[in-house]
């Protein structure tokens, strides 16, 4: 299988990074953990020393400089800070659901040190000013690094191409109309051509709109029983198939990322495209790796999500896709909604569920406990892979290499705990998994050499 070519991209994240930089000289010694850095192939028990916000040294039995803070990490995994390429922070416009402050607090609670936020805000992030607004707000109130994904079309209306070059220069790390699909093949191919000039990535919300009008959940036995309009798999597959076809016809295709893959057929289309050497990636969410449409029984709006939860065979195919290297990106699609909104009748309630605070143990359950992949591969899927997708590797993120920003997540793989909405820090608590027992937890989150979450 030919992996997609990595095209390096540049953008200005200095505003955001500045606020997170540790005081010069601040020093941490993380002692005796299993240090896993897939980007450099490192996996061994040793110490990590950070200073001035960067990784200074990795090795056995390193001394602690005077004044250093020592963190005992025996029995823990010491990983590069986790990266989530698919988050909805709801700011500007829907601050009652989530803000940059509350969403990044949820992120660091879950072990994430960098998140990419989607542009379906109000207004949509479709101008350089709005890209800068996100960086500025994150530098003031963010607990971790925030990288905006900009809209591919103006107002996310799927009609007029956004100012791709200017948005890229302003620091947009990728492009997406997420929440909506770019339905017009003509507009889509123009957006691909414009993005290919920047070396950036287009992230598609794969949903053919005419096949999903009024759809509330997966088209299957449960939707039939509940009398709800179904969202068929083919509405997702048709878009990925179409986009892959458009990319084949471009002289230099841009990088293409299929968000939140929900159907077994989509996994197969992505597998074929990658085998043909196209720069295509696919993304799996925690819920599509574990849950099925039966959860919508009793009109449970907390299980209403877009694309919908499907069937056990789809879940198996997505896990298999991660296992064989077809799916290389994990994203939570953290989608906060208020309790009032989720109390509406099923047809009217908004789609989405939160995920940042407990994604890691859900990924571990679906992928590592099941035997599909190892912990080091899971760490790769949460660090170096999304860093490359969004060009964050150029900033030194997604690795523990000497000199890179000291973004580090400590993981206790055997910690037992339970999802409790009362103790969640995000503004919205919309999850169908309250009370679920979990194994594994991020116990310490470090951004730029500063401990920002837990111990
Ligand atoms: Zn989406």
């Amino acid at each position: 299988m030919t992996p997609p070519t990595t095209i390096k991209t540049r953008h200005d994240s200095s505003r955001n990074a500045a606020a997170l930089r540790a005081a010069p000289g601040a020093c941490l010694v993380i002692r005796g953990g299993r240090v896993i850095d897939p980007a450099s192939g490192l996996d061994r028990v040793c110490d990590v020393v950070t200073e001035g916000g960067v990784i200074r040294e990795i090795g056995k039995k390193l001394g602690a400089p005077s004044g250093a803070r020592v963190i005992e990490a025996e029995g823990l995994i010491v990983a590069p800070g986790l990266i989530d390429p698919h988050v909805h922070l709801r700011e500007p416009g829907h601050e009652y659901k989530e803000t940059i402050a509350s969403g990044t607090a949820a992120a660091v609670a879950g072990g994430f040190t960098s998140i990419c936020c989607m542009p379906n805000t109000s207004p949509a992030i479709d101008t350089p000013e709005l890209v800068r607004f996100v960086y500025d707000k994150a530098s003031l109130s963010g607990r971790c690094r925030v990288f905006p994904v900009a809209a591919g079309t103006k107002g996310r209306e799927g009609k007029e191409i956004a100012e791709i070059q200017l948005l890229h220069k302003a620091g947009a790390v990728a492009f997406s109309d997420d929440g909506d699909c770019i339905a017009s093949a003509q507009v889509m191919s123009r957006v691909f051509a414009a993005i290919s000039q920047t070396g950036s990535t287009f992230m598609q919300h794969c949903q053919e709109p005419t096949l999903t009008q009024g759809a509330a959940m997966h088209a299957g036995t449960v939707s039939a029983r509940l009398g709800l309009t179904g969202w068929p798999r083919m509405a997702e597959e048709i878009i990925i198939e179409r986009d892959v076809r458009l990319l084949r016809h471009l002289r230099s295709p841009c990088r293409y990322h299929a968000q939140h893959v929900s159907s077994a057929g989509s996994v197969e289309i992505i597998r074929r495209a990658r085998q043909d050497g196209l720069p295509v990636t696919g993304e799996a969410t925690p819920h599509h790796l574990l849950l099925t449409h039966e959860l919508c029984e009793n009109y449970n709006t907390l299980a209403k999500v877009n694309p919908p939860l499907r069937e056990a065979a789809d879940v198996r195919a997505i896990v298999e896709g991660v296992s064989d290297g077809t799916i290389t990106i994990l994203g939570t699609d953290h989608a906060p909604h208020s309790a009032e909104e989720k109390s509406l009748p099923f047809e009217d309630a908004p789609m989405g569920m939160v995920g940042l605070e407990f994604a890691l143990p859900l990924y571990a359950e679906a992928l590592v406990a099941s035997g599909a992949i190892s912990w080091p591969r899971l760490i790769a899927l949460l660090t170096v892979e999304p860093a490359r997708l969004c060009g964050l590797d150029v900033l030194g993120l997604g690795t523990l290499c000497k000199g890179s920003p000291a973004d580090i997540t400590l993981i206790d793989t055997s910690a037992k705990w339970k999802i409790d909405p009362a103790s969640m820090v995000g503004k919205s608590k919309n999850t169908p998994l309250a009370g679920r027992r979990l194994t594994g937890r991020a116990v310490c989150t470090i951004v730029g050499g500063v401990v920002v979450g837990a111990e």
Side-chain angles (χ1 to χ4, degrees), residues 100-268:
I100 288 171
S102 67
T104 54
V108 300
F112 293 94
T113 58
S114 289
I115 57 179
C116 300
C117 60
M118 292 298 137
N120 61 337
T121 47
S122 185
I125 301 170
D126 64 354
T127 63
E129 291 69 29
L130 282 158
V131 168
R132 285 192 284 271
F133 164 84
V134 173
Y135 277 120
D136 288 343
K137 202 69 202 277
S139 77
L140 289 172
S141 65
R143 303 279 304 277
C144 67
R145 300 180 206 272
V146 176
F147 297 97
V149 172
T153 67
K154 290 184 180 166
R156 297 173 48 257
E157 287 177 351
K159 294 177 185 149
E160 206 181 327
I161 303 178
E163 294 175 308
I164 303 287
Q165 282 286 355
L166 294 177
L167 288 162
H168 176 68
K169 284 206 182 90
V173 296
F175 295 87
S176 176
D177 276 8
D178 185 37
D180 288 295
C181 182
I182 295 185
S184 156
Q186 185 197 42
V187 173
M188 191 69 265
S189 78
R190 286 181 183 166
V191 169
F192 286 162
I195 294 174
S196 76
Q197 303 296 309
T198 67
S200 190
T201 301
F202 183 76
M203 300 174 161
Q204 182 72 290
H205 170 106
C206 312
Q207 178 179 6
E208 205 293 317
T210 65
L211 289 169
T212 53
Q213 267 168 18
M217 65 172 296
H218 170 61
T221 51
V222 180
S223 66
R225 196 154 58 239
L226 298 181
L228 294 167
T229 306
W231 194 137
R233 293 182 183 89
M234 66 177 166
E236 177 176 284
E237 296 159 7
I238 280 172
I239 291 298
I240 304 179
E241 191 84 68
R242 178 202 73 175
D243 289 347
V244 168
R245 181 66 58 183
L246 289 173
L247 294 169
R248 287 185 200 276
H249 283 274
L250 280 175
R251 193 163 301 150
S252 61
C254 73
R255 289 193 291 173
Y256 176 82
H257 178 65
Q259 297 182 297
H260 41 49
V261 169
S262 68
S263 150
S266 302
V267 177
E268 187 47 38

Side-chain angles (χ1 to χ4, degrees), residues 10-369:
R10 290 186 186 283
H11 43 74
D12 173 21
S13 68
S14 54
R15 298 157 187 281
N16 191 16
L20 297 163
R21 212 168 288 142
C27 185
L28 286 179
V29 179
I30 302 162
R31 197 174 263 163
R34 178 184 173 191
V35 181
I36 299 179
D37 181 28
S40 63
L42 180 71
D43 181 357
R44 66 173 173 142
V45 173
C46 58
D47 305 337
V48 178
V49 178
T50 79
E51 191 169 30
V54 300
I55 307 282
R56 201 188 72 185
E57 211 174 353
I58 296 185
K60 289 264 188 197
K61 299 205 170 23
L62 299 177
S66 66
R69 177 173 172 190
V70 176
I71 299 174
E72 295 297 344
E74 204 177 316
L76 303 178
I77 286 178
V78 179
L82 309 184
I83 300 171
D84 189 339
H86 191 158
V87 170
H88 297 273
L89 290 177
R90 306 300 192 206
E91 188 174 356
H94 301 116
E95 288 84 352
Y96 67 96
K97 297 177 195 252
E98 193 78 285
T99 59
I100 288 171
S102 67
T104 54
V108 300
F112 293 94
T113 58
S114 289
I115 57 179
C116 300
C117 60
M118 292 298 137
N120 61 337
T121 47
S122 185
I125 301 170
D126 64 354
T127 63
E129 291 69 29
L130 282 158
V131 168
R132 285 192 284 271
F133 164 84
V134 173
Y135 277 120
D136 288 343
K137 202 69 202 277
S139 77
L140 289 172
S141 65
R143 303 279 304 277
C144 67
R145 300 180 206 272
V146 176
F147 297 97
V149 172
T153 67
K154 290 184 180 166
R156 297 173 48 257
E157 287 177 351
K159 294 177 185 149
E160 206 181 327
I161 303 178
E163 294 175 308
I164 303 287
Q165 282 286 355
L166 294 177
L167 288 162
H168 176 68
K169 284 206 182 90
V173 296
F175 295 87
S176 176
D177 276 8
D178 185 37
D180 288 295
C181 182
I182 295 185
S184 156
Q186 185 197 42
V187 173
M188 191 69 265
S189 78
R190 286 181 183 166
V191 169
F192 286 162
I195 294 174
S196 76
Q197 303 296 309
T198 67
S200 190
T201 301
F202 183 76
M203 300 174 161
Q204 182 72 290
H205 170 106
C206 312
Q207 178 179 6
E208 205 293 317
T210 65
L211 289 169
T212 53
Q213 267 168 18
M217 65 172 296
H218 170 61
T221 51
V222 180
S223 66
R225 196 154 58 239
L226 298 181
L228 294 167
T229 306
W231 194 137
R233 293 182 183 89
M234 66 177 166
E236 177 176 284
E237 296 159 7
I238 280 172
I239 291 298
I240 304 179
E241 191 84 68
R242 178 202 73 175
D243 289 347
V244 168
R245 181 66 58 183
L246 289 173
L247 294 169
R248 287 185 200 276
H249 283 274
L250 280 175
R251 193 163 301 150
S252 61
C254 73
R255 289 193 291 173
Y256 176 82
H257 178 65
Q259 297 182 297
H260 41 49
V261 169
S262 68
S263 150
S266 302
V267 177
E268 187 47 38
I269 297 165
I270 295 167
R271 183 177 286 122
R272 242 186 301 126
R274 288 170 64 84
Q275 281 166 354
D276 291 347
L278 287 167
V280 170
T281 50
E283 170 186 291
T285 69
H287 43 280
H288 291 112
L289 285 165
L290 280 171
L291 309 177
T292 56
H293 64 156
E294 286 85 0
L295 211 58
C296 298
E297 297 270 19
N298 307 320
Y299 300 95
N300 179 4
T301 58
L302 291 173
K304 184 179 178 187
V305 65
N306 197 15
L309 302 177
R310 299 201 187 274
E311 300 179 24
D314 298 288
V315 169
R316 276 197 301 276
I318 297 167
V319 171
E320 173 61 27
V322 175
S323 169
D324 73 9
T326 298
I327 291 178
T328 55
I329 301 293
L330 302 176
T332 58
D333 191 9
H334 177 81
H337 292 295
S338 72
E340 291 70 29
E341 291 168 311
K342 280 291 189 181
S343 323
L344 292 168
F346 198 93
E347 289 98 320
D348 305 326
M351 294 165 150
M353 52 181 79
V354 294
L356 282 168
E357 295 180 56
F358 39 77
L360 178 63
L362 295 178
Y363 291 137
E365 177 184 342
L367 299 170
V368 181

